[in-house]
Amino acid sequence: MPFSHDMAYSLATVVELINTSPATGGGEGLAGLDQLGEFLRQRQVSGVSALAESDLDQVRALREAFHRVFTAPDLATAVIRLNTLLSETRMTPRLVDHDGHPLHVHYFAPGASVAEHLAADCGIALAHLIVEGEWERLRTCSAPDCARVFVDESRNRSRVYCDSRTCGNRMHVAAYRARRRA
């Protein structure tokens, strides 16, 4: 499924946000305000003023809520979880162009917190994905020692590893060595 630029960017942002969690197999990627600020800069999240500890706590809670959407056992549960997340977010869709980006839609309300901003933009991208019947593209890496999430953007929905260069390569080498030993 070809995703629009904004949708693909928001989906990549939610994946990167979730993958900052220690629950995905790494350390805490949002250990402090500096890491949160760096995440926001790297993902080019606009309209963010000074960050506070409460922002960090809210973004971490949001990250876990998004993780529960990705790991829902079925579509109905994913819909309930996403609807709950979206219902707690003030939204004011509006067209904007800023920072050299072409005209696009922002869903967060003016003056929204960082967490509301991410919940609105990323939540709407997930909602569109689900509405298009593409829920099964929300995946968790199949490598036994990895719990990172990803969106399978392959045409035939066949991607199983978060990164083919790391997890995928490692698993293929292990399978090759096992075949050679047999």
Side-chain angles (χ1 to χ4, degrees):
M1 168 184 195
F3 301 127
S4 71
H5 170 74
D6 289 343
M7 184 172 168
Y9 199 80
S10 292
L11 290 171
T13 299
V14 73
V15 164
E16 285 191 34
L17 177 63
I18 293 168
N19 288 334
T20 65
S21 172
T24 60
E28 174 59 73
L30 296 177
L33 291 177
D34 290 341
Q35 290 87 359
L36 176 58
E38 183 58 26
F39 172 82
L40 298 173
R41 276 187 293 285
Q42 286 179 352
R43 294 308 307 162
Q44 299 178 347
V45 176
S46 62
V48 177
S49 57
L51 296 172
E53 284 296 324
S54 60
D55 290 319
L56 182 59
D57 294 337
Q58 291 170 0
V59 170
R60 284 179 181 161
L62 176 65
R63 171 183 72 186
E64 299 315 312
F66 277 133
H67 190 250
R68 288 190 296 276
V69 172
F70 265 74
T71 58
D74 54 50
L75 177 60
T77 304
V79 168
I80 290 167
R81 291 175 180 176
L82 186 57
N83 276 338
T84 300
L85 186 150
L86 290 172
S87 71
E88 297 169 355
T89 305
R90 296 176 299 143
M91 288 191 220
T92 307
R94 64 192 188 289
L95 295 170
V96 295
D97 58 349
H98 60 85
D99 302 325
H101 297 288
L103 197 61
H104 58 284
V105 180
H106 277 193
Y107 293 96
F108 60 93
S113 69
V114 172
E116 278 188 309
H117 180 138
L118 292 169
D121 281 347
C122 296
I124 290 296
L126 288 172
H128 283 292
L129 186 98
I130 288 172
V131 166
E132 293 296 322
E134 302 290 345
W135 173 73
E136 68 276 359
R137 290 184 182 273
L138 303 180
R139 303 256 173 96
T140 301
C141 186
S142 293
D145 58 342
C146 182
R148 293 174 59 88
V149 300
F150 63 95
V151 176
D152 180 3
E153 294 184 52
S154 67
R155 199 174 336 163
N156 63 356
R157 298 181 180 110
S158 62
R159 187 171 159 202
V160 294
Y161 301 114
C162 64
D163 184 1
S164 61
R165 293 177 306 248
T166 55
C167 289
N169 189 47
R170 192 175 67 245
M171 296 308 296
H172 289 121
V173 167
Y176 171 78
R177 288 180 179 159
R179 285 192 305 272
R180 297 281 297 184
R181 282 191 302 266

